[in-house]
Amino acid sequence: MLKIVILVAMLLPASAQAAGYCLPQNGKDRIARDGICPTGYFGSGDCCEAFRADTKRAIPKIEGKACPAGFFKSQAYCVSFH
C-alpha cells in the first residue's frame, strides 16, 4: 500500500503537490492565497508572502466568524495586532 502512495505522489505534478500549502522561506511567513493578500504580505504564486521576517502574523478568516482576540480583519484574513 505504501508503494502505491509513493508512486501516486511521484506522478503528481509539483504544483498539485504544493497547492494550498505554503512553506516559510527565508524566515518570512507564507500563507495560502485567497484573493487579495492581507496587510504586510504580497502575492507570490498561490501564496501570500510577508514583506519582512517580523511582519505581523496572518491567519485565514473563517466565514461568518469574527477574528480571534488580538487580530483585526484584513481582506479574507485576520492579522495580529503585535
Side-chain angles (χ1 to χ4, degrees):
M1 185 67 176
L2 181 60
K3 291 180 184 179
I4 294 171
V5 172
I6 293 172
L7 179 62
V8 170
M10 289 173 52
L11 295 176
L12 286 174
S15 61
Q17 293 175 15
Y21 192 73
C22 302
L23 297 172
Q25 290 183 345
N26 302 325
K28 297 179 190 173
D29 189 31
R30 293 182 72 197
I31 55 176
R33 190 172 184 172
D34 185 19
I36 299 173
C37 294
T39 303
Y41 289 75
F42 65 93
S44 178
D46 291 337
C47 300
C48 292
E49 185 172 338
F51 282 112
R52 301 184 323 241
D54 62 346
T55 297
K56 297 174 182 178
R57 179 85 172 118
I59 57 173
K61 184 176 181 320
I62 298 172
E63 190 68 33
K65 302 281 184 181
C67 290
F71 287 79
F72 65 93
K73 183 177 183 254
S74 177
Q75 306 302 331
Y77 304 91
C78 294
V79 180
S80 172
F81 282 116
H82 302 287

